[in-house]
Structures are given as C-alpha cells and as structure tokens.
Amino acid sequence: MEIVVLTMKASVIEMFLVLLVTGIHSNKETTKKVKRPKFTVPQINCDVKAGKIINPEFVVKCPAGCQDPRYHVYGTDIYASYSSVCGAAVHSGVLDNSGGKILVRKVAGQSGYKGSYSNGVQSLSLPRWRESFIVSEAKPQKGVTYPSALTYSSSKSPAAKAGETTKAYQKPSVPGTTAQPVTLIRVLRTTTAEATHTTTLSKPSPSAGSSTSSPRPQPMGQRSQELELWSTTVYTSSPSSAGTNPGETDLWKPGSVLLNAGFVPKEELSTQSSEPVSQGDPSCKIDLSFLIDGSASIGKRRFRIQKQFLADVAQALHIGPAGPLMGVVQYGDNPATHFNLKTHVSSRDLKTAIEKITQRGGLSNVGRAISFVTKNFFSKVNGNRGGAPNVAVVIVDGWPTDKVEEASRLARESGINIFFITIEGAVENEKQYVIEPNFANKAVCRTNGFYSLNVQSWFSLHKTVQPLVKRVCDTERLACSKTCFNSADIGFVIDGSSSVGTSNFRTVLQFVANLSKEFEISDTDTRIGAVQYTYEQRLEFGFDDYNTKPDILNAIKRVGYWSGGTSTGAAINYALEQLFKKSKPNKRKLMILITDGRSYDDVRIPAMVAHHKGVITYAIGVAWAAQDELEVIATHPAKDHSFFVDEFDNLYKSVPKIIQNICTEFNSQPRN
C-alpha cells in the first residue's frame, strides 16, 4: 500500500511539474506575442470641421490642397469649431498647402471671432460660437495618449473618404453596467415640446440618412421652436443594482449634450450653402481694373501664378458694393475685358471667375491696353460709381512691346491712378531690347515709388499682395483721382455795372453756367461760388451753399442784375475775403473775373495779393475792357489766363479754350 501511495504521489508531482513547465512556456510565448500597439496618425480630409470630432485633443494628418477657399475658416489663432481643421492649420501657418501633421486641442467657445487674411487663406468673422480649437505643430506631449482613430459625432464619418478607421462614441460606463449602442435617428421638424416628451425611437427608414445642402453657421442666441437632430449614438445601461429597467433608453437632451458633441440646432444652420453677401470694406471704396499679361512670353505656369495672385488680392480686398469693386482686362496683341466692375460683387464669385480665365497669347502691348481701359472700362455702363477713385493695376512680365507714355498721360488726365507691377524686369544686357526705357515711371500716376512695385521673380509675386492692397486702399494718396474737373474751388467775379445792361448780363450768366457745366460738382469735388460787383460788392452764393450741378445752375439763373459803377480792384479784395478765405486747403483756387470796362480803382495791388495767396486768376474782357488791365489781373503767363471778346454774344466761344487751359495747367504739375 505504501509503495502504491508513494507511486501515485510521484505521478502527481510529475504531472504538476509538467503542467508548471508548460504554463511557464505558454506565458513566455504569450508575452512574446503581445506587442504594444503602434500609434498611427489618423488622416482627415480638408472639409472636416473640428465640431464633428468629439475627441478633446488629437493629432491628425491633413492632405495637400487645404488652402482652397471652399474650406471655410472662422477666426484667427483661436478658431470656431465650425471651421475646417486643415484650413485653420494653413491659415495659422502651422501647415502650408502641401499638408502634414498637426496637433488640435479643443477650447471654450468665444464671444466673437475676427476674420483675417493669412498664408493664402481668408478666414471669416463670426459673432460667437459654442466651441473653439487651436492648432499647433504635431509634437505630442509626454505621457499623453492620442487616439489612433477619431470619434465622430455622426455615424457617417466624413473621413471615410480618406480610408480612416472610425469608431462610435462610447459613453463612459458606470461600474456594474454594460454599455449597449442604440442609434438615434435623424428627426426632422421636431418641436421642442415633442423632443422633450419623446421616449421611444423607431428604426430609421432608408430615407432618414438622405443628405441636405451644406449648412453655414449662424450666431447663437436666437432659439426657434424647430430642432433638427442629426444621427448619433446613445446608450442604454444594463443595470446590476440600479433601479433602471433593462432596455430603457437614456436619451440625450437636445441642446445640451448634442451641442457639446458638435451638433448644430436648425436655427443655427441654413439650408443654403452660400455665404452671406458681403457689402465690402467701406474704408477701401475704389473702382479697380487689373490689366493682366496674357502674352505668349509669359508661359502657362507663370500665367497660373498671375491668376492666383489676382485671386489672393480679390480675397484680401473684401469685394462688395459698399467697398472695392474689381474687373479684369487681359492684354496681348489686343486687350479684352473678361469682366467689368459690376459683373461680380463678392470676393468669392470673383475668385471663381478668375480661375476660368484662359491665356490669350500674342505680344505685350501695354500702351494699347491702357488706352482701352481709359476709353472703355471706367464708364457708368460698366459699373463705374463716379464717387469712387479709379485705379488701374498693370502687371508686366519683363517689358512692354509698345510705348506707354502717351496712353498713360491720357489715363492720368482722366483721373485714373495707374500702378505698375513689373516682374523679372530687364537686366543690364537686356535693356537694349526695351522699346521705351524707364517705361514704368512714364506710366504711373506719380514717380515717388508709391505706384511702382518691382518683383524679382514670379515665385515672389505672392509677397506683393498685402503691399499692393494697402496702397490701392489708401485713397488719400491716390493723387490721380484729382483731375482738373473735380479738384477746384472756382469763384466767379461778375461785373454788374450800368454799362453791361440787363440783356447782356443774362448772356454773362449763361457764360458762367456753360463753364460750370464742365466740372464735377459736389461738396468733395469742384465747388462754385459767385460775387457780383459795381461800386459795391455782393456775395451771390458761397462755396458751401450748393453742392450739386443742378442747384448751382439754378443759383446762377437766379442772380439779379445790380447796375452801378466799376470798382474791379475792390471786387478782387472782396472775393479773396468772402470766397477764397473759406476755400479748402486741398483745392486749387480759381478766380474767373468777367468785366466790360476799365476799373475806377487800382487793380494792381489786389491782383498781386491774389497771386501771392495762390489764387489762379483768369481775366475775361468784353467790348470796352482794357486789355492791359486784363493782363495785370491775370496770372502769369497772361496769354494763357486773359481772354478778350468784342461782343457779349461771342463769350460762349471762349469756353473750350478756357477749360483747355485750366486742364493743361493742372496736368503740367510735377509728378513726383
């Protein structure tokens, strides 16, 4: 018996040892097989919004091409969660348009988000939003585990196109319960009351997942009764000790968890995909024409760079009916308008139109293009607003194949502010081929460097966007907006002496009206005033009394004939005190004096005082007027500022010559 027992014990011990050894080997093999999972960075598409991702902090990889304006971004540095994640990364400068990895961290919603233009992306402003995020370089912090698969607030992940593995959101489990997913179907047009009392949800029909148009954000704070709940996942709890019945659904309340999870109530969305129409930047109200180089020498690649530059400028300008308007003319052998000032009244539409422009080819006839713009582009039918400065930006690859000086002079005299962007200009050994040396200075509005931009390479052109926008929007420095027709205070000094007579006085008033009609009259353009004199003087109306052309013409018509003697010297002094003392500093002061005889008093000293005060004086004599006295009154040279006609009925003939001399003198001012 003892032998049998010992034998059995030995067998048991042997079996135990075998099992022990087997278990150790098994554990070793298991230990070898269990490897720590390698972290893979999820990839998302450019259109994925931060609000769709539930994870509070994550690392993702963005594809190339997220600089596209289709991917909307709201805010600067801190972005509303309705923004494209990758678009915000490009705007912030963390990524460029080639894509890459980024670290995203959710933060609290802001009371407002300010839009800005940065790194080729125009972000938009938003009053406020429930959730924000910030973007930084993908440098994970030590001890922080980032998800390899993102959690989305919708069962249909927008990243599915990128081949990303996604998972349903798992509600944190309570000890003793088992989380079981239940799909919350999309409920359309459910009132708040209905949503509160809903306890059961039916299985979604095949049409429940149909898509709607892309929503745009609206400011929060205005609640409507209708809510539109979108697909998500909620969970029932299988209790162990709780008093909850098995299968009861723990419904999420609309407007609380749904909002935090990235849902947007219907009142915060629009079924329209388009952005609100911007009225434009009122501080940059200009009418702008871009003359782009379509010549064969530019090549397809540089032409595309030029189009991108135009699109970037259009975005930075904030195009709109109350701000800047922009059209495009392409030149080669001959110029052609692609679209005028009123064709596209938003930056978005303008950029789409720019993308469709195709290259024309041919020579680089810039002078012909400038003439075309002067004659055709800035007209009322093409959307020219009159009160906005006219600006033409000419882009030139190398140098023009025709002359620009004369065409540019006519453009300047028409009130067009010409800017030149010269790219890859002629180097020393190429200057022999340039038809018109120093062509840019001969073309631009002023030669002080403000209107000229020289770019060494086409690949550096994008750096010119902000400097150009800043200059064209500086309306105070757009000197060529001031023309001979819109930049003067004109004071008429009219002889009402007895020798003129009632009938001839009406002819003089018609002459005054004919001259006034030639000018652009408003409180900011040319202003008109009038003094009548005999022995005494009378202010008929001052510069501030009327600011429209019809009102001025009616005021001239109402002037009554006075009759009396002829004290021209006293009249000049009176006009200097009562009219020109109230002239604006930035206005040219023009005095136009009409008389039919020699003055009873001395005119020399009053005339010298007028000249000394910068008043340009034109002396118009009729019938018995003394020509030597006219020459004393007139500004030097007298031959350009004094006129004589033998009869009152011939006064109208001198109108064109007077206007021509006024404009010639204005346009002969130095351009520096």
Side-chain angles (χ1 to χ4, degrees), residues 127 164 223 310 557:
E164 181 194 1
R223 294 284 173 188
L310 252 64
K557 190 182 296 184

mmCIF file with all atom_site columns, all heavy atoms in Angstrom, residues 127 164 223 310 557:
data_model
loop_
_atom_site.group_PDB
_atom_site.id
_atom_site.type_symbol
_atom_site.label_atom_id
_atom_site.label_alt_id
_atom_site.label_comp_id
_atom_site.label_asym_id
_atom_site.label_entity_id
_atom_site.label_seq_id
_atom_site.pdbx_PDB_ins_code
_atom_site.Cartn_x
_atom_site.Cartn_y
_atom_site.Cartn_z
_atom_site.occupancy
_atom_site.B_iso_or_equiv
_atom_site.pdbx_formal_charge
_atom_site.auth_seq_id
_atom_site.auth_comp_id
_atom_site.auth_asym_id
_atom_site.auth_atom_id
_atom_site.pdbx_PDB_model_num
ATOM 1  N N   . PRO A 1 127 ? -19.978 86.108  -34.975 1.00 0.00 ? 127 PRO A N   1
ATOM 2  C CA  . PRO A 1 127 ? -20.289 86.774  -33.710 1.00 0.00 ? 127 PRO A CA  1
ATOM 3  C C   . PRO A 1 127 ? -19.887 85.945  -32.491 1.00 0.00 ? 127 PRO A C   1
ATOM 4  O O   . PRO A 1 127 ? -19.197 86.397  -31.617 1.00 0.00 ? 127 PRO A O   1
ATOM 5  C CB  . PRO A 1 127 ? -21.803 86.971  -33.778 1.00 0.00 ? 127 PRO A CB  1
ATOM 6  C CG  . PRO A 1 127 ? -22.116 86.955  -35.236 1.00 0.00 ? 127 PRO A CG  1
ATOM 7  C CD  . PRO A 1 127 ? -21.138 85.999  -35.850 1.00 0.00 ? 127 PRO A CD  1
ATOM 8  N N   . GLU A 1 164 ? -10.086 56.218  -43.386 1.00 0.00 ? 164 GLU A N   1
ATOM 9  C CA  . GLU A 1 164 ? -9.762  56.204  -41.964 1.00 0.00 ? 164 GLU A CA  1
ATOM 10 C C   . GLU A 1 164 ? -10.687 55.268  -41.222 1.00 0.00 ? 164 GLU A C   1
ATOM 11 O O   . GLU A 1 164 ? -11.874 55.161  -41.532 1.00 0.00 ? 164 GLU A O   1
ATOM 12 C CB  . GLU A 1 164 ? -9.891  57.620  -41.390 1.00 0.00 ? 164 GLU A CB  1
ATOM 13 C CG  . GLU A 1 164 ? -9.553  57.681  -39.921 1.00 0.00 ? 164 GLU A CG  1
ATOM 14 C CD  . GLU A 1 164 ? -10.017 58.988  -39.327 1.00 0.00 ? 164 GLU A CD  1
ATOM 15 O OE1 . GLU A 1 164 ? -10.590 59.768  -40.066 1.00 0.00 ? 164 GLU A OE1 1
ATOM 16 O OE2 . GLU A 1 164 ? -9.782  59.186  -38.135 1.00 0.00 ? 164 GLU A OE2 1
ATOM 17 N N   . ARG A 1 223 ? -33.374 81.303  -30.338 1.00 0.00 ? 223 ARG A N   1
ATOM 18 C CA  . ARG A 1 223 ? -33.933 79.961  -30.374 1.00 0.00 ? 223 ARG A CA  1
ATOM 19 C C   . ARG A 1 223 ? -35.260 79.964  -31.123 1.00 0.00 ? 223 ARG A C   1
ATOM 20 O O   . ARG A 1 223 ? -36.132 80.767  -30.865 1.00 0.00 ? 223 ARG A O   1
ATOM 21 C CB  . ARG A 1 223 ? -34.158 79.444  -28.947 1.00 0.00 ? 223 ARG A CB  1
ATOM 22 C CG  . ARG A 1 223 ? -32.861 79.240  -28.188 1.00 0.00 ? 223 ARG A CG  1
ATOM 23 C CD  . ARG A 1 223 ? -32.190 77.997  -28.648 1.00 0.00 ? 223 ARG A CD  1
ATOM 24 N NE  . ARG A 1 223 ? -30.875 77.850  -28.056 1.00 0.00 ? 223 ARG A NE  1
ATOM 25 C CZ  . ARG A 1 223 ? -30.020 76.915  -28.422 1.00 0.00 ? 223 ARG A CZ  1
ATOM 26 N NH1 . ARG A 1 223 ? -30.324 76.076  -29.365 1.00 0.00 ? 223 ARG A NH1 1
ATOM 27 N NH2 . ARG A 1 223 ? -28.846 76.829  -27.848 1.00 0.00 ? 223 ARG A NH2 1
ATOM 28 N N   . LEU A 1 310 ? -4.108  87.332  -58.497 1.00 0.00 ? 310 LEU A N   1
ATOM 29 C CA  . LEU A 1 310 ? -5.361  88.077  -58.624 1.00 0.00 ? 310 LEU A CA  1
ATOM 30 C C   . LEU A 1 310 ? -6.392  87.585  -57.616 1.00 0.00 ? 310 LEU A C   1
ATOM 31 O O   . LEU A 1 310 ? -7.088  88.383  -56.977 1.00 0.00 ? 310 LEU A O   1
ATOM 32 C CB  . LEU A 1 310 ? -5.932  87.914  -60.046 1.00 0.00 ? 310 LEU A CB  1
ATOM 33 C CG  . LEU A 1 310 ? -5.852  89.137  -60.954 1.00 0.00 ? 310 LEU A CG  1
ATOM 34 C CD1 . LEU A 1 310 ? -4.396  89.490  -61.228 1.00 0.00 ? 310 LEU A CD1 1
ATOM 35 C CD2 . LEU A 1 310 ? -6.576  88.873  -62.268 1.00 0.00 ? 310 LEU A CD2 1
ATOM 36 N N   . LYS A 1 557 ? -28.870 131.141 -62.367 1.00 0.00 ? 557 LYS A N   1
ATOM 37 C CA  . LYS A 1 557 ? -30.012 131.701 -63.092 1.00 0.00 ? 557 LYS A CA  1
ATOM 38 C C   . LYS A 1 557 ? -30.755 132.752 -62.252 1.00 0.00 ? 557 LYS A C   1
ATOM 39 O O   . LYS A 1 557 ? -31.331 133.713 -62.794 1.00 0.00 ? 557 LYS A O   1
ATOM 40 C CB  . LYS A 1 557 ? -30.968 130.559 -63.476 1.00 0.00 ? 557 LYS A CB  1
ATOM 41 C CG  . LYS A 1 557 ? -32.065 130.966 -64.432 1.00 0.00 ? 557 LYS A CG  1
ATOM 42 C CD  . LYS A 1 557 ? -33.002 129.780 -64.711 1.00 0.00 ? 557 LYS A CD  1
ATOM 43 C CE  . LYS A 1 557 ? -32.260 128.652 -65.422 1.00 0.00 ? 557 LYS A CE  1
ATOM 44 N NZ  . LYS A 1 557 ? -33.189 127.544 -65.772 1.00 0.00 ? 557 LYS A NZ  1
#
